[in-house]
Amino acid sequence: MNLPNRNDDYSKREYWNDRFLQEKSYDWLVNYEDIKSLVLLHSHEAKSSRVLILGCGCSTLSYDMYVDGYENIVSTDFSPVAIASMKAKYQDSRVIWECMDMTDLKYDDESFDVIIDKAALDALTSAEKDVWSPCEAVVEASDKVMRGVRRVLRPKGVYVVISFVQPHFRVPYLSGKLAKTS
């Protein structure tokens, strides 16, 4: 695995495409077993819940959830290399793998019960130069993600964010408080 030359490379599709040509499986931060009880709790223990995974990369999370009985999982990533790899690797599963940029979700309003972001927003915000005063492009991109999440999440749905970032830096992005218009 090649580490990026610069931290903001984590926000670039080219970096991920190159990485996913080499890396066939990697779970950032946690694996499914680590968060299984959290996911069960927030899906109201209904494995028929419609679940969206943002920035799935080559993580086994989606497939592990499928094996555990989740019936309706959509996994997205903006890297066509990652999506092609996951489709080929897990072709016998019913997981839907879609190449999509999380800043422009193409789903119907209120179509997911649970949305899981496992370091996807971390990658997007890696281009911020100063966590105390993030650049406008990062704020705008994050706001697009959050507006999309709010739009596609069903009433009483849950957005699960698993992040490296300390909560006092992440919450302003999640709440839209950094955006000029939300």
Side-chain angles (χ1 to χ4, degrees), residues 46-172:
K47 291 188 176 180
S48 61
S49 295
R50 188 153 192 237
V51 178
L52 174 64
I53 310 289
L54 296 177
C56 65
C58 60
S59 167
T60 62
L61 176 65
S62 303
Y63 183 73
D64 292 343
M65 288 178 68
Y66 168 75
V67 168
D68 194 37
Y70 283 84
E71 304 165 0
N72 199 348
I73 302 169
V74 178
S75 291
T76 63
D77 200 285
F78 76 161
S79 167
V81 175
I83 294 301
S85 175
M86 298 308 274
K87 279 183 178 180
K89 185 174 185 176
Y90 298 120
Q91 63 186 335
D92 294 333
S93 77
R94 292 177 47 205
V95 176
I96 297 168
W97 306 96
E98 295 185 326
C99 189
M100 188 177 303
D101 188 325
M102 67 183 182
T103 65
D104 188 23
L105 297 176
K106 303 287 187 196
Y107 300 109
D108 292 338
D109 294 357
E110 300 180 358
S111 55
F112 292 94
D113 301 296
V114 178
I115 299 176
I116 300 175
D117 167 350
K118 192 164 67 100
L121 201 55
D122 289 359
L124 181 76
T125 59
S126 69
E128 68 187 2
K129 302 299 181 209
D130 177 359
V131 294
W132 296 104
S133 182
C135 66
E136 191 172 323
V138 170
V139 170
E140 286 178 18
S142 299
D143 191 54
K144 286 180 182 179
V145 173
M146 296 317 306
R147 282 186 278 131
V149 165
R150 286 190 291 273
R151 184 182 61 75
V152 303
L153 197 58
R154 290 184 176 141
K156 298 185 182 182
V158 178
Y159 177 43
V160 178
V161 180
I162 302 160
S163 175
F164 280 117
V165 179
Q166 296 175 17
H168 61 276
F169 290 123
R170 182 57 71 227
V171 169

Side-chain angles (χ1 to χ4, degrees), residues 2-10 12 15:
N2 292 332
L3 293 176
N5 294 325
R6 300 166 31 124
N7 198 47
D8 65 346
D9 285 348
Y10 284 118
K12 298 175 182 167
Y15 167 76

